[in-house]
Amino acid sequence: MRSETCWALLIVGVAGSAADRAAAVKQAFQLSWDAYYEHAFPHDQLKPISQSGDDSYGGWGATALDGLDTAIVMGNQVVVNQILDYVPTIDFSSCNQSSVSMFETTIRYLGGLLSAYDLLNGPAANLVNETSKVTNLLTQAASLADNLKVAFTSETGMPYNGIDIQNQTIVGEPTNGLAAIGSLVLEWTRLADLTGNAEYGNLSQKAAEYLFNPQPSWVSPWPGMVPDNLNISTGEFISDSISWDGGSDSYYEYLIKSYIYSPSRFSSYRDQWEEAVNSTIQNLMQNTTTGSGQNLTYVGTWNNGTFSATMGHLVSFIGGNFLLGGSVLQRQDLIDYGLALTEGWYAAYNSSATKIGPGALSWNATAAGDNGQTDTYDELGFYYTASSYMLRPETLESYYYAYRITGDEKYRDWSWEAFVGINSTCWTGSGYAEINNVDNTTQGGGFNDLQDSFLLAEVWKYAYLIQADDAEWQVSSNGTNSFVFNTEAHPIRVSGN
């Protein structure tokens, strides 16, 4: 049960010290973990309504490995050791699913194992007394990668996404998405550096020659921007859709993060990122005006020559990515754009009855009229095109970067408002669940029976870190960082540190 202190904090909303807020988020994490541990462990995720388990990610305990480094940064020694005791029991050569996703397995499991290893070998070493428990993390990370390597057996060396682990075969067509191909470098290169086996890094970096020089050349209308799907057997793109949305998002995210990890090895990734953000500013970024005259900034999509003024919640991480890159490259213009993009999604969160942002929004005035949303558009400058909330972290992620880079306390307040909304609306009594309608304060218009692993990996981590004291794993305001977060919010120690 929540303590009376936590309840009081929830009632007062944005009141309370940063330390009190951080403590409340730690308690929400504990509630999430306890419900998962009781009803679903070692399955991948909790189904809180039916109080059962979900095995969408291979059945290796995704929530445990996703939540491990969050427990570490929160100093939760009990949960840390519960998970560490489980890690060596996992058999990554056996799977209860017909196939697993190379992308999802890398960002959740491999990222989680490596992050915990880096933290427990460094600034959080005090949490574990037995060195073998930490060594097991790297051993299991290498075991997992060895079972995933079959994904790189295409003619070009670019990875397939579907893998039958037990039979070591490929599942599906010889196509893959941009994010699934381009979001492996950080984890696989870190594994190479830690083990001394360069093969891991070389395999993941092979895709760059195809992604940085897209073929046929006409598929890239602007420098640095490429479509969301390609044939990995030929190396040619087969899509006309260009965006920062799901399927493409973390490719752009990893360009600058790879550079942060190792500037000497990934300077070309930095160059690609700068081209992409410059093209995004010029071609995909738009402003909309609210009824009170406030200007809001959003990023649309480009499909076969047609611009669409829509933006999904997944894309709201872009503010944080611009802020991170702007701080590292000392580009104030990118910091300013990042803050504007972050403010656009705060407006979306602030507009709902629950103070949680919608699954997607649009600022297309014509479409608003066609959908009977003219009044809403005139007042807010946007309207919802999807009202659900899938326990997603992306807006909280941008709040985190905004606070860490500017020090402005309002971002802490924004994050706390969102936390209060999520904590009170998504709680089921036995874990947290996705909701159908962010504008409905009665259980969010109904629950979807799933507590996603990234609730523990990302939502609670960003909500906690923004209120927490400075630490080695925190993002720095001066552009010099000891850790860089993968797309699942797992802090990876940068090369050389």
Side-chain angles (χ1 to χ4, degrees), residues 8-16 21 416-417 420:
L9 286 167
L10 297 180
I11 292 170
V12 297
V14 298
R21 295 175 179 182
W416 176 248
E417 289 173 9
V420 170

Side-chain angles (χ1 to χ4, degrees), residues 346-413:
Y346 172 69
Y349 268 64
N350 192 48
S351 69
S352 79
T354 62
K355 300 303 178 186
I356 305 173
L361 56 80
S362 175
W363 58 101
N364 184 322
T366 301
D370 294 340
N371 293 302
Q373 297 277 6
T374 299
D375 291 344
T376 301
Y377 171 79
D378 289 343
E379 176 187 357
L380 301 176
F382 59 85
Y383 58 96
Y384 303 168
T385 56
S387 297
S388 59
Y389 174 66
M390 316 304 283
L391 299 179
R392 295 202 182 280
E394 292 81 18
T395 301
L396 287 172
E397 179 180 352
S398 287
Y399 293 166
Y400 170 71
Y401 283 99
Y403 172 69
R404 291 297 304 177
I405 289 168
T406 69
D408 191 330
E409 289 289 331
K410 75 178 181 183
Y411 299 112
R412 275 180 157 176
D413 293 342

